[in-house]
Amino acid sequence: MRGFLRALGAVVWKDLAAELRSRELLSSMLVFALLVIFIFNFALELDAVARANVTSGVLWVTFVFAGTLGLNRSLAVEKDRGCLDGLLLAPVDRTAIYFGKAIANLVFMLVVAAIVLPVYSILYNVNLFAQGGLLWVIFLGAEGYTAVGTLLAAMAVQARTRDILLPILLFPVVIPVLVAAVKASSGYLQRLPMEEILPWLQLLLAYDVIFTSIAFMVFESVVEE
Amino acid sequence: MQDSTLIEVSRLLKRFGPKVVLRGLDFHVRQGEFVALLGPNGAGKTTFLRILASLSAPSAGRVSVAGCDLPRQATAVRQKLGVVSHLPLLYGDLTAEENLRFYGRMYGVDALEKRVGEVLTLVGLTSRRRDLVRTFSRGMQQRLAIGRAILHDPEVLLLDEPHTGLDQDACEMLDEVLMQVAARGRTVVMTSHDLARVEEMASRFDVLSRGRICSSVRRDALPPDGLLAFYRRALAEATPPVEEAL
């Protein structure tokens, strides 16, 4: 267990340290996310009620597309420089590599969310921080998305057409997490009673547990030649 | 396992779909040997090294490294192996010592800081330890790649065409580091197309052709006309006549 945690920590540290230096991944995710919310802001001339209705949808479209860029890049960097082999050669449980990459991807996605939320609040005149529950939904949704996304990115990175392959593989699989995240976010923003939000939160939580477990079980065979 | 036999491969078969790359390959390496694995492009050298490195699973046959069977005991085998390929397997946005520190953690190296210092000294990169790897020349990256591979003091070093893309000076520096590693009693298996270079370094030469080891010779038993002539004869004998191939 100690070796597992040591390897997991090393992968997370390596990804964060490399990204702090290069800022390749975060900058592309952030620029893309900000462009999406700017475009929606100008494309949809909405009144206050309509704005509240579309907020969760716009937010999750932004997170998901920006997240896909990050997932693709995160594994492509390993593959292009041959470093994926370097990781796979280490005498550690390969799921430690998976969890390390997934945690780093989750951190990148949460950093993007942390910057997008205040910008969105200003542009759309909606206070997204009034409901603490929304932040939990973003965390759970991002966790589910990166759990399955990291696994599929590891699969797609082996292919020549990885850039288009990842969204094609990923989006159908993450439909449950997206629907649940959008519904739960919308529930918090519209201040619906907890009984109406709870089923979506439970679905989100169940998805996170199921897909994290599946990724844990199949990652080794996905990266094996 | 035979006495002091470190790598034992018998009847190894590797298929990629309908394509058979390795056809019943047998290969044995004793502890401390420096084996040069020679062969034309497409002979299966890289595939074979990837199987030894546990990066690829054999389709059939037995592979054992230091008494551990592959792929069943892959984690134990990985602890005993250091691998260098023509790609350095290093992160350009980390410094030389950060790269070694990262891999040291992955391999559970004890007294890591001390070991990183020793390895950087061995590969002659102490003065560049805090520089980002992306600012390194190809030769320096390859020397650091050897440092990465020997960081955990592996019993076996696998090298897949490590001289690819290096200039003459960089090749000589790389050879110097490799000879230091071999002099410490480590077992080395290296693929190469540079026969003149490996003739100076290896203790045994195996020729791989059409998925099999077709010829093998120890350095002290090399014919008087040298390695190149031996290699050409081995390939000619392994290649069937045109009418038979058709």
Side-chain angles (χ1 to χ4, degrees), chain B residues 138-176:
Chain B
R138 169 96 179 94
M140 288 163 71
Q141 287 193 16
Q142 203 61 337
R143 274 192 283 154
L144 187 59
I146 292 190
R148 170 190 55 70
I150 61 171
L151 186 65
H152 58 294
D153 202 13
E155 289 178 51
V156 182
L157 199 56
L158 303 177
L159 302 114
D160 187 12
E161 297 178 25
H163 298 95
T164 305
L166 298 184
D167 62 26
Q168 193 58 29
D169 287 347
C171 281
E172 278 166 18
M173 274 193 271
L174 185 67
D175 292 349
E176 213 172 284

Side-chain angles (χ1 to χ4, degrees), chain B residues 210-232:
Chain B
R210 304 164 71 86
R212 283 194 193 99
I213 301 289
C214 63
S215 212
S216 177
V217 66
R218 304 194 65 76
R219 181 215 271 273
D220 50 18
L222 262 180
D225 49 358
L227 180 61
L228 180 60
F230 166 80
Y231 174 70
R232 285 190 174 143

Side-chain angles (χ1 to χ4, degrees), chain A residues 6-7 10-11 13-14 17-18 21-22 24 78 81-83 85-92 94 97 220 225, chain B residues 16 50 53-57 75 78-79 83 87 89-95 98 102-103 105-108 132:
Chain A
R6 189 191 59 234
V11 174
W13 171 84
K14 180 266 297 172
R21 295 257 167 70
S22 70
E24 280 176 18
E78 302 283 356
R81 295 172 190 167
C83 295
D85 280 350
L87 290 178
L88 298 178
L89 283 166
V92 295
R94 283 174 172 173
I97 298 167
E220 173 128 22
E225 196 172 88
Chain B
F16 291 103
R50 288 183 70 81
S54 80
L55 287 171
S56 183
T75 307
R78 285 181 206 128
Q79 187 68 54
V83 179
L87 288 170
L89 318 188
L90 296 166
Y91 294 92
D93 291 317
L94 298 182
T95 65
E98 282 172 344
F102 166 66
Y103 280 108
R105 284 186 198 136
M106 295 296 282
Y107 281 84
L132 294 181

Side-chain angles (χ1 to χ4, degrees), chain A residues 93-163:
Chain A
D93 188 336
R94 283 174 172 173
T95 51
I97 298 167
Y98 163 77
F99 280 114
K101 296 296 295 180
I103 289 171
N105 287 331
L106 177 63
V107 170
F108 297 144
M109 210 161 156
L110 292 177
V111 168
V112 170
I115 294 169
V116 163
L117 287 180
V119 174
Y120 189 98
S121 296
I122 294 165
L123 278 178
Y124 289 73
N125 199 22
V126 180
N127 185 4
L128 295 176
F129 296 95
Q131 294 287 324
L134 177 67
L135 303 181
W136 276 111
V137 174
I138 290 173
F139 177 80
L140 289 175
E143 201 283 322
Y145 185 76
T146 49
V148 70
T150 304
L151 177 72
L152 294 177
M155 197 185 287
V157 80
Q158 316 283 349
R160 272 180 302 166
T161 53
R162 64 189 178 206
D163 292 335

Side-chain angles (χ1 to χ4, degrees), chain B:
Chain B
M1 196 172 80
Q2 288 170 23
D3 185 36
S4 81
T5 299
L6 206 59
I7 300 175
E8 200 172 12
V9 178
S10 54
R11 304 176 70 81
L12 175 64
L13 190 88
K14 179 67 184 179
R15 280 197 195 92
F16 291 103
K19 191 180 175 197
V20 183
V21 179
L22 300 175
R23 306 158 185 265
L25 184 145
D26 293 309
F27 183 72
H28 301 268
V29 180
R30 294 165 74 87
Q31 194 162 5
E33 272 191 303
F34 190 138
V35 179
L37 200 56
L38 313 171
N41 290 331
K45 301 186 296 294
T46 297
T47 302
F48 179 46
L49 279 201
R50 288 183 70 81
I51 290 173
L52 285 182
S54 80
L55 287 171
S56 183
S59 305
R62 180 167 179 264
V63 181
S64 163
V65 178
C68 302
D69 284 343
L70 281 172
R72 198 168 49 83
Q73 295 170 294
T75 307
V77 169
R78 285 181 206 128
Q79 187 68 54
K80 298 167 197 288
L81 289 180
V83 179
V84 178
S85 77
H86 50 276
L87 288 170
L89 318 188
L90 296 166
Y91 294 92
D93 291 317
L94 298 182
T95 65
E97 65 180 1
E98 282 172 344
N99 266 286
L100 293 184
R101 215 177 279 144
F102 166 66
Y103 280 108
R105 284 186 198 136
M106 295 296 282
Y107 281 84
V109 175
D110 292 328
L112 184 56
E113 289 307 314
K114 184 169 170 269
R115 181 66 184 149
V116 166
E118 285 170 3
V119 167
L120 284 169
T121 306
L122 181 69
V123 297
L125 289 171
T126 307
S127 61
R128 301 290 304 266
R129 63 190 298 156
R130 292 198 176 86
D131 292 347
L132 294 181
V133 166
R134 68 173 135 88
T135 66
F136 283 14
S137 68
R138 169 96 179 94
M140 288 163 71
Q141 287 193 16
Q142 203 61 337
R143 274 192 283 154
L144 187 59
I146 292 190
R148 170 190 55 70
I150 61 171
L151 186 65
H152 58 294
D153 202 13
E155 289 178 51
V156 182
L157 199 56
L158 303 177
L159 302 114
D160 187 12
E161 297 178 25
H163 298 95
T164 305
L166 298 184
D167 62 26
Q168 193 58 29
D169 287 347
C171 281
E172 278 166 18
M173 274 193 271
L174 185 67
D175 292 349
E176 213 172 284
V177 175
L178 276 178
M179 292 312 288
Q180 284 183 51
V181 172
R184 292 175 179 206
R186 296 292 172 244
T187 306
V188 182
V189 178
M190 179 167 82
T191 70
S192 182
H193 290 292
D194 190 343
L195 271 61
R197 190 166 294 283
V198 296
E199 191 169 6
E200 299 295 315
M201 300 167 77
S203 61
R204 199 182 97 197
F205 309 94
D206 284 13
V207 181
L208 184 64
S209 173
R210 304 164 71 86
R212 283 194 193 99
I213 301 289
C214 63
S215 212
S216 177
V217 66
R218 304 194 65 76
R219 181 215 271 273
D220 50 18
L222 262 180
D225 49 358
L227 180 61
L228 180 60
F230 166 80
Y231 174 70
R232 285 190 174 143
R233 273 196 300 273
L235 286 185
E237 286 163 16
T239 309
V242 177
E243 60 272 24
E244 196 182 312
L246 290 172

